[in-house]
Each structure stands twice: as C-alpha cells, then as structure tokens.
Amino acid sequence: MDLRTTPEEQKFRDDLAAWLASEVPAYGPPPSTHDWDARRAYDTGWQRKLFEAGYAGINWPKEYGGLDASGVEQLIYFEEIAKANAPYIGVNFVGMLHGGPTIMVEGTEAQKAAHIPRIISGEEVWCQGFSEPVAGSDLANLQTRAERDGDHYVVNGHKIWTSFAHVADYCEMLVRTDPDSSKHGGISWLIMPMDLDGIDIRPLPTLEGEGEFSEVFLEDVRIPVSNLVGKENDGWRVTNVTLRFERGTAFASDMIQLQAFVAKMVETAKKITSDGATAWDDKALRREIGHLSGELESLWAMVKLSVCEAKETGVPGVGASAVKLYYTDIFQRTTELAVRLLGRAGISRSDVMDLPAQHFFARHFNAISTAIAAGTSQIQKNIIGERILGQVKEPKPNPA
C-alpha cells in the first residue's frame, strides 16, 4: 500500500480535524469511573456522534454502515482522534475492535446484518467471554461446556476478567462443544445475549478501584444455534482471527496516545526544579525520553504494517503478537519513567502541587495490566518464536 498522502486523503484529514475541533470540546469530559451507567451513556453517545458524522466503522463496508476507508485513511483517523484527545472508545472496545471485526470475517450474512450496524452506531455494547479461572494463560484449556439441545446450546461454566460485562448487550463467548476432542479441536465461538436466564455477573474490583472487570457465572444458559460463528468445533481458528484484531490493530489509538503521554512527561520535567535546575536539564533524562520517542515511532510503523495487512487480507498477520508485545514493553517503560520523574509525588494517587501524579500513577497501573490483557507476554513470545521465527516448539509438561 502506498502510504504517501493524496490530495483526497489530506482533505479527509482536514475535514476530520475540523469536525473534532468543534465536537470534542462541546461533548465534555467523561463521567466518574465508578458510575458505569453514565460511562455507557457517555461512550455510546460519542460513538453515535461519530456514526452520524460518517466517521464510525472506519474500515467496514458501507452496506453495514461503515466508511470503507482506505488503509491510509484509517491511519489518519487514528492520528487525528488521538491528536484531538477525543473521548476514548471505552465500552465500545470489544464490539468495535475485535468482536465486530470477527463477525465481519467469519459471521453469516444474518449475523452481520443483525449486529454490525448496531455496533457501529453505538446501540450494542459487547464484552469478551474468553478467560477462565483455571485456564491461566492457556486459553484453549477452557472448561465452559455447551451441549446441543435441539436448536439451542445449553451452556454451563465460569468466565473471569470479563471487561464491561455489567453494561454489555452481547458477549463473544468461547465454549467447549466436544469434550472428547483435542484441546484445540472441540471449541466453538458463540454470540451470547447478556439478558438470557442463567447469567450471573459479579463485579471484580482491581487495584485501580475501577469496576471494569466482572466474573460471569453461566448455569443452563440457552443460546440459539443460529448464534454460532463459524462451524461447530472450529472455534479455535475463529478465535485466532479475533486475537489478531485484538493484538494487531485494537490498540492503535492507545499507541498514538502514548506519544502524547511522552509530550506530557516533557512538559512536567520542565516544571520540576531542584537546586536551581529543572529535571529537563538532566541530559540522562532527555536521552531516555528521546529513545522512547524513537521507539514509539518504530511501534507506529509496525501498526501501519498490521493495518495494511488487514486491509489487503481482511485480518492482521501473525506479526500482531510482535506489535502487542512491543507495545506492552514500551508502555511499561514509559510509565515507569513518568513515576520516577515525579519522585516522592510518584507514590501519590492524587495530584501534588501542579504535577499530574494521579494521571501518571493511573497510567502506570494500566501499563502493568497490559502484560496480561489480550494474551500474556509469555504467550506472545511463544507465538513469535514458533510461528514467525520457526523455532522448535516449547516442550509440553510431562503428565507423570
């Protein structure tokens, strides 16, 4: 794909930037992180504004309400959204960035027609039912069972770390439909409405004090067979489509925002003084921030490659794991430096003097969790070693 900007693409950038300059200040800041009904209304309200302005579903076909933009326009969209400090995608993350894209690739026409337009317009919020308490980082070790009963699957099991479950309308759900098959062979990918009988959602607080995560208990939940995405027992292949979107392109806006975070660090370093000098006068600090800025540019180049692959083939390549792993590493090192920059103020969860301690501390906690989110860093290293570099597979533990 040619990444040089054409006059039409420059016009797209100018129009989008002008729209954001008008709409973002008028929309206002998000509500408290503890009021999730208000958070859903805020996040879906912004998604609705994007949809009405023609900027939602940036890479999805027009027939489903998307913009069907080029790869370059997608990258411009990510850059301008971050530059304008537009509202975060929030509760729309799963639906917009990997649940919806999976349905576009693997779903039936009826499933696409039923869900894609409503996801793009902010009418449907999705969560992800992948992680389980006993599976650890081995996603394929899931135990949630789905038994066929006529036109329904009857699902029993327990999911954990389910983001936005308490405000979601649908869940991308992994279930074991053939317990006698191989570990990766008996899995299916289902669309589960969150208002069905037998679903019990329990909040799961984190160190940040937010209620984004929940445990989800499933007891005799009846899901129509028509909600199966892909073929029965072929869910592991469908899951890998979901994970490539999640790891390759879902964090694109976050990566651009990390560049803005580095700029905030520079601004803060110029405010911190000691013995008549600012922290920014320290050559070692400037060198460290310069290296991080260079690495973020490299990371953005990798995202461009993933977007190009997704545009040409429909799905990001296996290199998505390298993007996710590199992003996690840079994110953690950047926020660690931010906390060190603040000195004693870095251990405060409230702003100290005129320093953004609360923001830096929250980002650092968030960075720690990215080593687990969307697959642990250890799993990404295995994928890179085995599937990209062709190294010998890691030996399995001896059951004896």
Side-chain angles (χ1 to χ4, degrees), residues 83 127 151 154 200 212 272 292 303 329 347 353 372 381:
K83 191 185 302 180
C127 61
D151 294 334
V154 180
D200 182 11
E212 174 183 327
I272 298 175
L292 285 171
V303 173
D329 177 57
I347 61 174
M353 304 294 285
I372 301 173
K381 289 175 182 176

Side-chain angles (χ1 to χ4, degrees), residues 81-82 85-86 88 252-262 363:
I81 286 284
N85 198 25
Y88 186 62
S253 292
D254 300 66
M255 295 173 197
I256 289 288
Q257 287 176 344
L258 197 52
Q259 294 178 341
F261 184 83
V262 170
R363 293 289 284 165

Side-chain angles (χ1 to χ4, degrees), residues 205-264:
T206 68
L207 280 174
E208 290 183 274
E210 289 195 37
E212 174 183 327
F213 297 109
S214 294
E215 288 185 274
V216 179
F217 296 84
L218 307 158
E219 182 177 359
D220 293 334
V221 179
R222 296 181 66 84
I223 302 176
V225 172
S226 58
N227 286 21
L228 173 68
V229 175
K231 296 180 181 177
E232 186 174 282
N233 299 327
D234 191 31
W236 187 246
R237 186 190 59 77
V238 180
T239 300
N240 275 280
V241 171
T242 306
L243 295 177
R244 287 190 183 185
F245 280 114
E246 187 175 19
R247 295 165 181 168
T249 56
F251 293 101
S253 292
D254 300 66
M255 295 173 197
I256 289 288
Q257 287 176 344
L258 197 52
Q259 294 178 341
F261 184 83
V262 170
K264 185 73 174 177

Side-chain angles (χ1 to χ4, degrees), residues 206-210 331-332 335-336 339 346-347 349 358-371:
T206 68
L207 280 174
E208 290 183 274
E210 289 195 37
F331 191 9
Q332 291 187 345
T335 57
E336 284 172 4
V339 172
I347 61 174
R349 299 184 67 172
Q358 183 178 17
H359 177 54
F360 282 11
F361 198 83
R363 293 289 284 165
H364 185 49
F365 265 2
N366 185 227
I368 293 171
S369 69
T370 56

Side-chain angles (χ1 to χ4, degrees), residues 305-366:
L305 180 61
S306 274
V307 171
C308 292
E309 287 177 335
K311 187 64 182 176
E312 293 179 3
T313 67
V315 181
V318 70
S321 288
V323 175
K324 169 61 173 51
L325 181 65
Y326 195 24
Y327 168 60
T328 299
D329 177 57
I330 295 179
F331 191 9
Q332 291 187 345
R333 284 188 286 125
T334 300
T335 57
E336 284 172 4
L337 179 59
V339 172
R340 278 195 282 128
L341 171 65
L342 291 173
R344 294 181 62 187
I347 61 174
S348 172
R349 299 184 67 172
S350 301
D351 288 350
V352 176
M353 304 294 285
D354 193 26
L355 303 177
Q358 183 178 17
H359 177 54
F360 282 11
F361 198 83
R363 293 289 284 165
H364 185 49
F365 265 2
N366 185 227

